[in-house]
Amino acid sequence: MPEEKQLTEQESLQLITSMIQKVKGGYHENGTGPILWGTVVSIASFVTYLQREYLFDLPFDIWLIVMAAIIPQIIMVRKERRTRPHIKYEDEAINAVWIVYALTIFGLTAYQAIVPEVSTNLLKAEGWQMMKHVLDNSKPDEVLTPFTPSLYSIYILVYAFPTLVTGITKKFTPMLIGSGIAYTCFIISLYTASKYDFLLGAVTAITCWLIPGIILRRRYLAQKKANV
Amino acid sequence: MFKELDPILHSQLRLAVMSLLITVKEADFTYIREKTNATAGNLSVQVQKLKEVGYIDVLKQFKDNYPQTTCKITPKGIEAFEAYVQALQAYLKT
């Protein structure tokens, strides 16, 4: 691009438009993040479903693999920040949405872990407890720990939210479709037994993150190959 | 009476750089060079001019033992760019 060329007003406007278009482009993530999260969340959800369906235990909590995925995620984010040639304003906004999402998931997990025990103690302090009573009296009554029925439906709803925001902002159809499927799974999960909610959660993780991540990865590798 | 077009911006490469930087939060030198198809020397001179008038900030640092130059538009740069576009539109309306 020669520096000294004096532009006409029309040429100036055309240049501004073409530069803005060049930067806008598509969604150019390398896809590793969505692949990682899509894989661990779908595996954890599916294994939980199998545990509840076939009544078996693992020697460890399968959801620990989701916690463990935080480490490679931090490494990937740091590496990406070092190599990223530019930062768009929308990237900052999307990052903020995913941070809020992570905090929400953390909050829900804490809720799930803390509230039942605290509620039991509060009820005891008030002098009563929750009981399970079988309507036909075929089994004796038993003490229940307070719980939120079908809580995983809420997780599915939360999975859809940052995916939809990213899909809309980046105009990335696979994530728009993924979030649409997630909302559908959420609605279905309202009517199903909680063990099936985990199956729906696995479907949600695959369609929201794993498949879009694979598509992003393919695009990224194709672009990288073209630039060599 | 038309406002005079800002001579700093009314140059092909400087305008291209500013148009790019108005769209992103920050961009590194190599990326700008790739998008503007400019030579490193020419781009370096124009970036320096934009920096001297306070339209952009230039941050030079080392990342993984390699030098990296990052450019970012300043509030003064945004103001100048907006004024330039308004002036252009006024010219084109006549």
Side-chain angles (χ1 to χ4, degrees):
Chain A
M1 188 176 278
E3 178 252 324
E4 296 305 334
K5 189 192 171 198
Q6 283 302 307
L7 301 161
T8 64
E9 291 75 19
Q10 192 67 45
E11 284 172 338
S12 290
L13 268 187
Q14 279 170 356
L15 176 63
I16 292 168
T17 312
S18 77
M19 288 309 296
I20 291 172
Q21 287 304 324
K22 272 187 191 178
V23 178
K24 272 191 172 175
Y27 190 16
H28 296 302
E29 297 290 325
N30 63 20
T32 46
I35 289 173
L36 172 72
W37 290 103
T39 305
V40 293
V41 173
S42 59
I43 289 174
S45 301
F46 188 63
V47 170
T48 308
Y49 159 71
L50 292 176
Q51 283 179 300
R52 297 205 175 183
E53 182 71 54
Y54 300 104
L55 303 173
F56 68 93
D57 280 328
L58 290 175
F60 64 96
D61 184 349
I62 189 67
W63 288 91
L64 286 175
I65 66 167
V66 178
M67 300 297 284
I70 293 171
I71 298 162
Q73 175 68 25
I74 291 170
I75 295 168
M76 283 188 307
V77 167
R78 292 184 70 166
K79 191 181 167 193
E80 202 207 326
R81 278 193 182 161
R82 279 203 304 271
T83 54
R84 198 162 40 176
H86 65 287
I87 301 172
K88 292 183 185 175
Y89 291 106
E90 67 199 41
D91 293 337
E92 298 272 295
I94 288 175
N95 284 345
V97 168
W98 283 95
I99 289 169
V100 172
Y101 160 78
L103 290 173
T104 307
I105 291 291
F106 179 77
L108 271 175
T109 309
Y111 174 91
Q112 205 175 357
I114 296 167
V115 168
E117 196 185 334
V118 171
S119 299
T120 304
N121 294 337
L122 288 171
L123 297 182
K124 268 187 187 165
E126 285 179 21
W128 62 285
Q129 61 187 10
M130 287 176 70
M131 299 291 289
K132 179 180 174 182
H133 172 70
V134 180
L135 290 174
D136 63 3
N137 292 316
S138 58
K139 286 179 184 172
D141 290 355
E142 55 182 280
V143 177
L144 269 188
T145 304
F147 66 99
T148 310
S150 204
L151 184 63
Y152 203 63
S153 295
I154 306 295
Y155 279 88
I156 294 172
L157 185 62
V158 175
Y159 292 162
F161 153 69
T163 312
L164 182 60
V165 173
T166 308
I168 291 171
T169 312
K170 294 288 188 181
K171 297 181 178 65
F172 186 48
T173 311
M175 279 193 170
L176 288 174
I177 295 170
S179 57
I181 293 172
Y183 283 116
T184 308
C185 286
F186 165 70
I187 293 166
I188 296 169
S189 76
L190 301 178
Y191 298 97
T192 56
S194 66
K195 65 182 175 185
Y196 297 114
D197 297 350
F198 288 95
L199 203 54
L200 292 164
V203 172
T204 299
I206 289 169
T207 53
C208 278
W209 306 321
L210 185 57
I211 294 172
I214 291 168
I215 293 168
L216 283 173
R217 186 80 195 155
R218 281 185 166 185
R219 277 189 196 175
Y220 172 78
L221 292 176
Q223 199 181 24
K224 211 174 160 186
K225 202 175 167 186
N227 288 343
V228 171
Chain B
M1 183 73 183
F2 290 116
K3 268 173 80 179
E4 200 180 321
L5 289 171
D6 184 341
I8 293 291
L9 294 181
H10 202 56
S11 137
Q12 194 173 10
L13 184 50
R14 287 195 294 267
L15 183 60
V17 172
M18 289 293 283
S19 305
L20 190 151
L21 290 177
I22 197 105
T23 320
V24 297
K25 192 182 172 212
E26 60 183 52
D28 80 33
F29 187 85
T30 317
Y31 177 77
I32 300 171
R33 186 161 63 86
E34 187 189 302
K35 293 290 175 191
T36 56
N37 295 322
T39 62
N42 192 7
L43 180 60
S44 189
V45 171
Q46 304 315 319
V47 162
Q48 188 57 33
K49 281 186 185 171
L50 290 168
K51 187 189 167 194
E52 277 165 10
V53 294
Y55 287 180
I56 65 170
D57 278 333
V58 179
L59 177 69
K60 293 187 182 207
Q61 58 190 345
F62 276 88
K63 274 190 180 173
D64 297 330
N65 295 324
Y66 288 98
Q68 192 196 35
T69 305
T70 307
C71 302
K72 189 178 178 177
I73 197 163
T74 62
K76 187 181 174 187
I78 294 171
E79 214 173 280
F81 187 82
E82 285 172 352
Y84 180 80
V85 172
Q86 278 172 10
L88 272 185
Q89 285 169 337
Y91 273 103
L92 291 168
K93 272 180 192 165
T94 58

